[in-house]
Amino acid sequence: EVPLDRIEAFIIPKGTFVSLRPGVWHHAPFTTGGKPVNVLVVLPERTYANDCTVHKIEKKHRLRIRGI
């Protein structure tokens, strides 16, 4: 079950490295302003095959970052 009360959204500045600890629920990054960007995602071997689950969140529970 998705822990809705613990979901956060934030903006990561260009050129910033982000490291997520094991067990952190996350999604791939989204861009702002409609401009394409290059993102490097580094994962342990076969992560997508062994440890990748998508949980859809109902529209009424989704977050919006204001000012974008």
Side-chain angles (χ1 to χ4, degrees):
E1 189 172 315
V2 178
L4 296 172
D5 61 331
R6 297 183 62 195
I7 293 176
E8 296 182 37
F10 48 91
I11 297 173
I12 301 170
K14 178 180 177 179
T16 302
F17 174 83
V18 176
S19 176
L20 300 176
R21 293 180 181 206
V24 172
W25 288 47
H26 63 282
H27 195 283
F30 293 95
T31 62
T32 60
K35 296 180 182 178
V37 298
N38 293 314
V39 176
L40 175 64
V41 178
V42 179
L43 300 169
E45 185 177 356
R46 301 195 47 79
T47 297
Y48 285 112
N50 300 324
D51 188 21
C52 185
T53 305
V54 175
H55 295 272
K56 301 253 180 185
I57 298 174
E58 293 180 46
K59 191 171 185 172
K60 66 182 180 181
H61 295 298
R62 293 181 189 169
L63 300 179
R64 176 179 299 270
I65 299 176
R66 298 186 190 275
I68 297 179

